[in-house]
Amino acid sequence: MEGVCCATSPASPSSSENPSKRKQTAEKKPYRGIRMRKWGKWVAEIREPNKRSRIWLGSYSSPVAAARAYDTAVFLLRGPTARLNFPDCVPDYAHQDLSAAAIRKKATEVGARVDAMQALPRPDLNQFPTPESSEED
C-alpha cells in the first residue's frame, strides 16, 4: 500500500437490506468502516477481532483517506480474505499479527498520505501555460 491507488468505487451495500435503506446508506456512508462527523471530517475505526473494543484509525478530511486507513487495518487484522473498500489496492505487506497500536500507526500513516495527496493543488490541463517573465525586462 505504499503507492496511492486511484480507484474510488464505493463499497456495495449488502443485498439483504431493503432498497430504500441501501440508498440512504450509500448516500451517507460511501465506504465500509468510516463515518462523517457533524462538522464534515471523516473518521475511521474498526472492531478488534473477538473483542468489544475498537481501534481508532484517525480523522481525515476526505472519505477516501478514511477508507484507505480502514482498508489497511482490516487487511492487517484479517489478511487477504478481508473485504476491502478498494480491492484493486491490496497492501503490499504481508498479513501480520500486530498489536492495536501498531495497526493504528500503519493505518493513520496511509490515511494521512492519501489526505495529503488529495490536498495538493492539481494543475488545470485545459489552460495554456503562462509564459514566465524574464528578469531582463
Side-chain angles (χ1 to χ4, degrees):
M1 189 164 249
E2 293 304 316
V4 175
C5 186
C6 58
T8 58
S9 62
S12 61
S14 69
S15 60
S16 63
E17 298 176 12
N18 67 30
S20 63
K21 186 172 182 174
R22 236 184 314 191
K23 185 177 180 185
Q24 290 173 348
T25 304
E27 290 172 5
K28 292 182 182 178
K29 268 179 53 170
Y31 301 104
R32 260 183 226 101
I34 69 169
R35 59 189 164 87
M36 190 169 115
R37 297 266 194 206
K38 291 180 211 174
W39 52 88
K41 286 281 191 175
W42 291 89
V43 297
E45 59 187 355
I46 189 169
R47 189 175 300 279
E48 291 185 78
N50 305 321
K51 295 183 181 179
R52 295 183 70 178
S53 59
R54 293 181 178 268
I55 300 173
W56 178 254
L57 303 175
S59 179
Y60 305 95
S61 57
S62 73
V64 174
R68 292 291 303 278
Y70 173 83
D71 278 3
T72 301
V74 78
F75 185 82
L76 289 171
L77 286 170
R78 295 185 176 90
T81 61
R83 291 181 62 197
L84 303 174
N85 291 307
F86 303 102
D88 296 336
C89 302
V90 176
D92 60 355
Y93 38 81
H95 169 69
Q96 303 167 17
D97 189 21
L98 299 174
S99 67
I103 290 170
R104 180 182 306 111
K105 182 180 180 206
K106 285 192 179 224
T108 54
E109 287 172 0
V110 170
R113 192 177 323 126
V114 172
D115 242 359
M117 292 286 289
Q118 290 186 339
L120 291 174
R122 305 215 187 254
D124 185 3
L125 299 176
N126 294 323
Q127 289 184 343
F128 288 107
T130 57
E132 296 182 24
S133 62
S134 64
E135 295 179 18
E136 297 173 1
D137 292 337

